Amino acid sequence: MSENATIDPGRAEELRDQAVTQLVTDGTIVSQRVEAAMRAVPRERFAPEAALEDVYSPYGAVITKRDEHRVAVSSVSAAQIQAMMLEQADLRPGHRVLEIGSGGYNAALLAEIVGPGGAVTTIDIDPEVTERATRLLKENGYERVRVVRADAAQGVPEHAPYDRILVTAGAWDIPPAWMDQLAAGGRLVVPLRMRNLTRSISFLKSGDHLTSTSARICGFVPMQGAEEHRETLVLVNGTEEIALRFDDEVPADPHQLDNAILHPRVETWTGVTVGLQEVIDTLQLYLATHLPGFCIMAVDPNLDTGLVSPNNPRFSLAAVDDDTFAYLVTRRTPEEQSVEYGIHAYGPHGAAFADAVSEHVRTWAREQRGGPGPRIDVYPVSADVAADLVITKMHTRVTFTWPPATAAG
């Protein structure tokens, strides 16, 4: 007998309705199809290990498996993230859907939306995950969902083409099979990592490439198997206290930074202020696509000697220029209702680099602040792409087209 037998169905339904109502109120759920599915599927039955209050916390994930280092490798994603991606997918009854990354609950939501006239296939590389998904889907009346154990890099060609492909694990690249198995005019929703920043992007297939229709901040357990990709760490000063994380391009000679921290810190303030509740995801992407040497700085809290002083020791926007590095900081304004962006730089060219990074922040504020962000296109890596801002990965070339300054909000 499953753990679900001890759960009070009335209490579960009450919490489910409260969570869905909250997601409707905050604007995450905008369609009746997604709302109806999330009210219909009992989320607690796909996370029987967790307390009901945790299961129905709209913004919290439920970890279902960890590796030997206690790192999460499988989870039931936060309901807010799942609802957001379902809205990005624009699912319709009768659609054929491939879900990459199994768990059971999200596949049940997909099955509710596409209905008996549609088809849902879910794939995962981990046999424990697929066995669990198969069992839970069957127990809860979703036997028609196909569960496949395999490396998702190859997709599931026997049931292609798909009207929609939803990826529920963090992806560094888009394998050719996903594009090949997506129907013409179909939609791929994927949490894509680009220079250490993850965005859930909804892509439409147009000919030989994909074009974004929306991009939302998110976080996901990374993919395993052939498409697994690890960041490169550059240790400043040769110790693990300060690490610069690179997801794509890596400095040609990282050892040039060995003595950067020995130079006095240069501190520059940009004059750019943002409200405490203002969304600044476009600033992150703007710097990632315009600032050479962009990376993320992380400070080990157990080794921190105060050599650097970021606001967030685990995640600070940073960049490297040969023998010099810099990172963004903020300080409260006198009114305490906003913060101002500043730059800390270390190295023999700290002043010049701090000024260069500051100008990028000011340009964002003048030209892109409040705007829609860039259009993101994905082409096969062999394509001859005419674009100024390109990230080249293993299978693809990702391009960014920022709107003219007059179009920004």
Side-chain angles (χ1 to χ4, degrees):
M1 183 177 292
S2 126
E3 296 94 324
N4 297 317
T6 63
I7 290 177
D8 177 0
R11 178 60 176 161
E13 184 174 358
E14 177 186 6
L15 291 174
R16 186 182 320 132
D17 285 342
Q18 289 176 1
V20 175
T21 298
Q22 177 61 44
L23 295 175
V24 172
T25 301
D26 70 18
T28 301
I29 295 177
V30 296
S31 69
Q32 291 184 347
R33 287 186 295 273
V34 172
E35 180 180 354
M38 297 197 78
R39 291 195 189 279
V41 180
R43 181 177 167 93
E44 75 278 3
R45 293 186 176 275
F46 293 89
E49 311 90 341
L52 273 179
E53 288 71 17
D54 295 332
V55 169
Y56 283 112
S57 171
Y59 310 106
V62 177
I63 306 302
T64 56
K65 184 178 180 181
R66 298 181 184 272
D67 64 13
E68 66 274 15
H69 306 295
R70 301 299 297 162
V71 175
V73 295
S74 186
S75 68
V76 178
S77 298
Q80 184 265 338
I81 293 292
Q82 291 173 312
M84 178 188 76
M85 295 183 72
L86 291 173
E87 294 288 4
Q88 286 183 295
D90 190 25
L91 291 151
R92 304 298 172 91
H95 273 167
R96 296 158 297 175
V97 184
L98 173 63
E99 179 193 37
I100 293 174
S102 296
Y105 174 66
N106 200 64
L109 293 173
L110 296 171
E112 282 286 338
I113 296 173
V114 303
V120 177
T121 301
T122 182
I123 180 173
D124 202 285
I125 196 173
D126 189 329
E128 290 184 23
V129 171
T130 54
E131 289 169 9
R132 172 192 171 97
T134 300
R135 173 175 57 82
L136 292 175
L137 286 164
K138 183 177 180 180
E139 285 180 0
N140 292 287
Y142 296 97
E143 299 92 339
R144 66 181 185 274
V145 174
R146 304 185 189 100
V147 182
V148 177
R149 181 171 69 85
D151 192 323
Q154 304 305 317
V156 186
E158 56 266 36
H159 302 301
Y162 301 100
D163 300 296
R164 301 290 188 266
I165 297 178
L166 276 76
V167 183
T168 61
W172 178 75
D173 201 357
I174 296 177
W178 298 359
M179 295 179 68
D180 293 343
Q181 293 172 28
L182 188 63
R187 195 179 293 253
L188 166 69
V189 180
V190 55
L192 186 64
R193 289 207 326 265
M194 304 159 292
R195 292 186 176 155
N196 303 91
L197 303 177
T198 300
R199 297 291 185 269
S200 174
I201 307 177
S202 176
F203 288 108
L204 284 179
K205 184 175 182 179
S206 177
D208 67 342
H209 71 283
L210 303 170
T211 298
S212 69
T213 62
S214 65
R216 305 282 186 266
I217 290 179
C218 66
F220 271 88
V221 172
M223 289 193 68
Q224 303 176 57
E227 292 302 311
E228 182 176 356
H229 179 84
R230 296 186 179 276
E231 297 174 327
T232 298
L233 294 184
V234 172
L235 302 179
V236 176
N237 206 33
T239 73
E240 295 184 0
E241 177 184 353
I242 307 168
L244 302 177
R245 296 161 38 203
F246 292 85
D247 210 17
D248 294 285
E249 300 88 350
V250 180
D253 183 8
H255 291 294
Q256 289 191 81
L257 291 171
D258 287 350
N259 296 315
I261 203 70
L262 302 179
H263 292 260
R265 182 173 80 193
V266 174
E267 185 172 310
T268 299
W269 294 95
T270 65
V272 175
T273 60
V274 299
L276 298 181
Q277 302 301 319
E278 183 175 345
V279 178
I280 48 88
D281 59 321
T282 58
L283 172 60
Q284 295 178 342
L285 273 178
Y286 187 86
L287 294 179
T289 55
H290 286 82
L291 189 57
F294 179 87
C295 58
I296 299 298
M297 185 181 76
V299 180
D300 188 326
N302 297 318
L303 301 174
D304 188 1
T305 62
L307 287 173
V308 292
S309 52
N311 298 97
N312 183 348
R314 297 184 181 276
F315 187 95
S316 297
L317 306 182
V320 170
D321 184 18
D322 294 328
D323 54 5
T324 301
F325 76 97
Y327 59 91
L328 265 67
V329 291
T330 60
R331 65 182 179 186
R332 287 289 185 96
T333 59
E335 298 79 13
E336 294 290 319
Q337 299 302 311
S338 61
V339 295
E340 179 186 4
Y341 277 103
I343 313 299
H344 288 178
Y346 297 82
H349 305 99
F353 194 40
D355 287 343
V357 177
S358 296
E359 187 53 37
H360 280 295
V361 176
R362 295 188 188 103
T363 301
W364 165 80
R366 288 194 308 268
E367 300 182 359
Q368 301 298 336
R369 181 177 183 170
R375 188 188 76 236
I376 303 171
D377 294 279
V378 176
Y379 296 84
V381 72
S382 59
D384 183 12
V385 177
D388 293 331
L389 303 172
V390 181
I391 298 176
T392 300
K393 296 179 178 283
M394 179 182 296
H395 306 300
T396 62
R397 304 188 75 194
V398 184
T399 71
F400 301 83
T401 305
W402 286 84
T406 55

